[in-house]
Amino acid sequence: MTDELFTQIITPTTHDLGGFKVHRTLPSKPRTMVGPFIFFDQMGPARLTVGTGIDVRPHPHINLATVTYLYAGAIDHRDSLGTFATIEPGAVNLMTAGHGIVHSERSPSAEREKGPELSGIQTWLALPEDREEMNPAFEHVSAADLPIVEEPGARCRVIMGELWGAKAPTTTYAQTIYADIELAEGGAVPIDPSATERAVYLAYGDASIDGIEMEIATLYILRPGITAILRSAGGGRVALCGGEDFATPRHVWWNFVSSSRDRINQAKEDWKAGNFPKVPGDDKEFIPIPEVPKTVSYP
């Protein structure tokens, strides 16, 4: 039955970043992408010590779009376009790197004063080849502007793309689906079969797909075209993601994604040389390029 439902099941690589854990399922050796999704991290859930917070110093990206979605807490985003935006639960930050962008992510001061809560998903989307070198852009879509689809015992927020007849206003560059599914006790929702590639991920609580129990922080890649029912006995939070299959493979090194290894090598040299733009209001420090990559190069 498992083989009939899933093409792959990806268990996470988990890192303790001091006060909170990050579970990463993409990219992995078994699989690099699901639709345009090439990076999938769950942050937390965690409550950090009063007076502390997350401080992700300025760092670069190319040829991708980052998508940040929070279940709890808040993060201040700054980037080299001059953007400042605070993301809160239920909203989405879409930052398109294109030919190059630099950004930082930090806990707001109000969050630090009470001990920041941190829980959410950060993903990267590979850009189609003809859009990889587009101009950088930033987009914040509030929780109120993302459509909600109600099913018996289920509340689904469409973050990107079109699902269950509702379409999110968030920009997409390739066919993309992305949703946050909150399941109450005994709740159920059908998994939309329209996208070529789809995956479901249990962030917390419990859930099953057609009776097969899901494990926490594990990515289940569904077979194309199948219709399945997602259920929860005691309540849970599930992410659904996917979209079109990319014909050309993407390479990943550190914070860089591209269809060209040469382009990634150029980005390495540009960051070392200080050729990327600065982040206004957060230009006193930065993350140096690693001598040994933090992420293995795929493929």
Side-chain angles (χ1 to χ4, degrees):
M1 181 64 175
T2 302
D3 290 343
E4 294 175 6
L5 279 176
F6 312 122
T7 59
Q8 285 171 302
I9 299 173
I10 300 176
T11 56
T13 301
T14 300
H15 301 280
D16 192 326
L17 300 185
F20 69 98
K21 291 182 178 180
V22 171
H23 308 286
R24 179 168 302 166
T25 46
L26 290 177
S28 68
K29 288 183 178 179
R31 188 164 185 133
T32 307
M33 299 173 68
V34 178
F37 289 81
I38 197 165
F39 180 94
F40 194 106
D41 262 14
Q42 180 184 1
M43 308 171 285
R47 171 75 72 173
L48 306 184
T49 305
V50 172
T52 67
I54 64 164
D55 284 293
V56 182
R57 294 166 292 160
H59 58 281
H61 292 286
I62 63 162
N63 292 185
L64 60 84
T66 68
V67 184
T68 305
Y69 184 84
L70 297 181
Y71 298 138
I75 296 175
D76 282 344
H77 164 97
R78 286 182 170 86
D79 64 40
S80 51
L81 299 175
T83 306
F84 172 77
T86 300
I87 184 171
E88 295 178 326
V92 61
N93 275 2
L94 173 69
M95 185 188 74
T96 305
H99 61 69
I101 200 167
V102 180
H103 76 132
S104 65
E105 297 164 297
R106 301 182 187 269
S107 296
S109 57
E111 293 286 310
R112 295 173 190 267
E113 291 171 4
K114 63 184 182 182
E117 197 173 358
L118 180 65
S119 181
I121 304 287
Q122 187 165 76
T123 59
W124 298 352
L125 306 180
L127 295 176
E129 282 187 83
D130 62 350
R131 306 299 295 275
E132 285 186 313
E133 295 295 326
M134 66 178 287
N135 289 332
F138 178 83
E139 180 175 299
H140 174 91
V141 183
S142 70
D145 289 330
L146 293 173
I148 301 291
V149 177
E150 303 276 359
E151 295 284 342
R155 188 173 187 269
C156 311
R157 176 175 275 115
V158 182
I159 303 169
M160 302 183 79
E162 186 171 354
L163 287 161
W164 307 291
K167 186 174 183 179
T170 316
T171 296
T172 58
Y173 301 104
Q175 187 207 9
T176 307
I177 57 166
Y178 191 20
D180 170 25
I181 303 171
E182 294 183 75
L183 294 167
E185 183 176 340
V189 66
I191 300 298
D192 193 308
S194 58
T196 306
E197 297 189 338
R198 300 163 297 157
V200 285
Y201 178 93
L202 178 61
Y204 56 83
D206 74 81
S208 64
I209 306 172
D210 281 3
I212 297 174
E213 293 296 324
M214 298 174 65
E215 297 290 333
I216 293 280
T218 300
L219 195 67
Y220 293 80
I221 300 165
L222 297 168
R223 289 199 175 279
I226 68 160
T227 299
I229 302 295
L230 184 68
R231 298 183 186 276
S232 178
R237 198 80 174 256
V238 175
L240 167 65
C241 67
E244 68 180 82
D245 181 14
F246 274 38
T248 306
R250 293 297 185 272
H251 308 287
V252 185
W253 191 92
W254 191 41
N255 297 314
F256 304 136
V257 166
S258 182
S259 60
S260 165
R261 290 188 187 274
D262 289 343
R263 181 65 182 92
I264 289 178
N265 289 333
Q266 181 61 58
K268 293 180 193 178
E269 297 307 313
D270 286 340
W271 186 243
K272 289 179 184 178
N275 293 335
F276 276 84
K278 305 294 184 184
V279 177
D282 196 352
D283 58 357
K284 305 301 183 187
E285 56 181 353
F286 62 92
I287 300 177
I289 200 161
E291 293 301 321
V292 178
K294 293 181 179 178
T295 302
V296 179
S297 179
Y298 300 100

